[in-house]
Amino acid sequence: MLLTGCSEGGAGVSGGPSSSAPSSVQASPEASSSRAPAPAVSPPVATSEPLAAGKVVVLDPGHNGGNVKSPSVINKQVPAGRGETKPCNTTGTSSNDGYTEHEFNWDVAQRVGNALSAKGIHVVYTRHDDTGVGPCVDQRAAIGNDANAAAVVSIHADGSTAASAHGFHVSYSNPPLNGAQGQPSISLADDLRDSLRGEGFATSTYLGTNGIYPRDDLAGLNLSTRPAA
């Protein structure tokens, strides 16, 4: 799992800034510029089997392909936790050659989801394609809560103009607002960090310490009642 810090309110694992698409992902998703956006926020994904059947992991690929053409929808203020509000969603960043963050997030989520499914883990996604709008960050958190997920992981990529900035970091909600945001989320973040580092990924040179960056401003983490990063 790659990849939070692109200023949206529902992030967990974030890849370091780069002027081009990360070399670890061999993907060429269809460009989204010609797609017609959905007229409203896309609904959560319905699952075909009881969520109680085995362990559930919720994957939250940040942003969505239709967001850029639906500013009135994604700019609507929604709850962000800690008594704050923030926009429903944002467009995300992109590489200099036009590879969008939402495409990258979607591609990584599918790869991770397939790997988890192969291990018998039931995977729930917060969005069902890369052409819709939203869901809003509070809705994304609700999907994880309603699924009674063993873990919720939001996938994002950062953007930066600093050529020296690179590496990944993992965030969790801090200070915690409930028991799941305490040690369970810290342990999840540590496990994600250790696994990525064990696969040879470098930790962030621009945010956090040793690949961990606790935050209090991310709605998806603040509103979660499940272990989330």
Side-chain angles (χ1 to χ4, degrees):
M1 273 171 263
L2 283 178
L3 311 213
T4 303
C6 54
S7 78
E8 183 201 296
V13 188
S14 179
S18 173
S19 60
S20 60
S23 59
S24 59
V25 176
Q26 305 299 320
S28 54
E30 179 183 18
S32 62
S33 58
S34 62
R35 296 168 178 159
V41 173
S42 303
V45 184
T47 55
S48 59
E49 60 182 277
L51 293 177
K55 286 190 177 297
V56 177
V57 170
V58 171
L59 297 179
D60 176 27
H63 313 288
N64 209 333
N67 285 3
V68 69
K69 293 185 178 180
S70 302
S72 63
V73 176
I74 66 170
N75 288 334
K76 178 183 177 181
Q77 295 291 303
V78 299
R82 305 184 193 277
E84 303 292 333
T85 62
K86 63 171 41 183
C88 160
N89 213 248
T90 57
T91 59
T93 187
S94 67
S95 63
N96 289 341
D97 62 1
Y99 184 38
T100 62
E101 181 192 352
H102 66 79
E103 292 175 289
F104 176 79
N105 298 340
W106 177 249
D107 180 72
V108 172
Q110 295 304 297
R111 294 168 187 256
V112 172
N114 289 338
L116 292 173
S117 295
K119 295 180 180 294
I121 296 170
H122 182 62
V123 179
V124 176
Y125 298 91
T126 59
R127 55 184 174 101
H128 53 73
D129 56 39
D130 196 42
T131 61
V133 181
C136 296
V137 289
D138 58 330
Q139 291 177 301
R140 292 174 186 246
I143 293 170
N145 296 341
D146 293 344
N148 195 33
V152 180
V153 178
S154 185
I155 301 167
H156 284 259
D158 281 347
S160 176
T161 57
S164 62
H166 67 274
F168 77 88
H169 64 274
V170 187
S171 293
Y172 59 87
S173 182
N174 188 66
L177 298 172
N178 55 53
Q181 291 180 16
Q183 192 57 50
S185 291
I186 293 172
S187 295
L188 173 62
D190 286 343
D191 286 346
L192 289 167
R193 186 270 315 276
D194 293 346
S195 296
L196 282 166
R197 194 155 55 181
E199 292 296 326
F201 290 99
T203 54
S204 172
T205 62
Y206 64 99
L207 277 178
T209 303
N210 293 325
I212 300 293
Y213 183 52
R215 295 180 65 167
D216 63 3
D217 62 328
L218 299 178
L221 301 182
N222 288 338
L223 298 174
S224 181
T225 58
R226 307 303 303 163

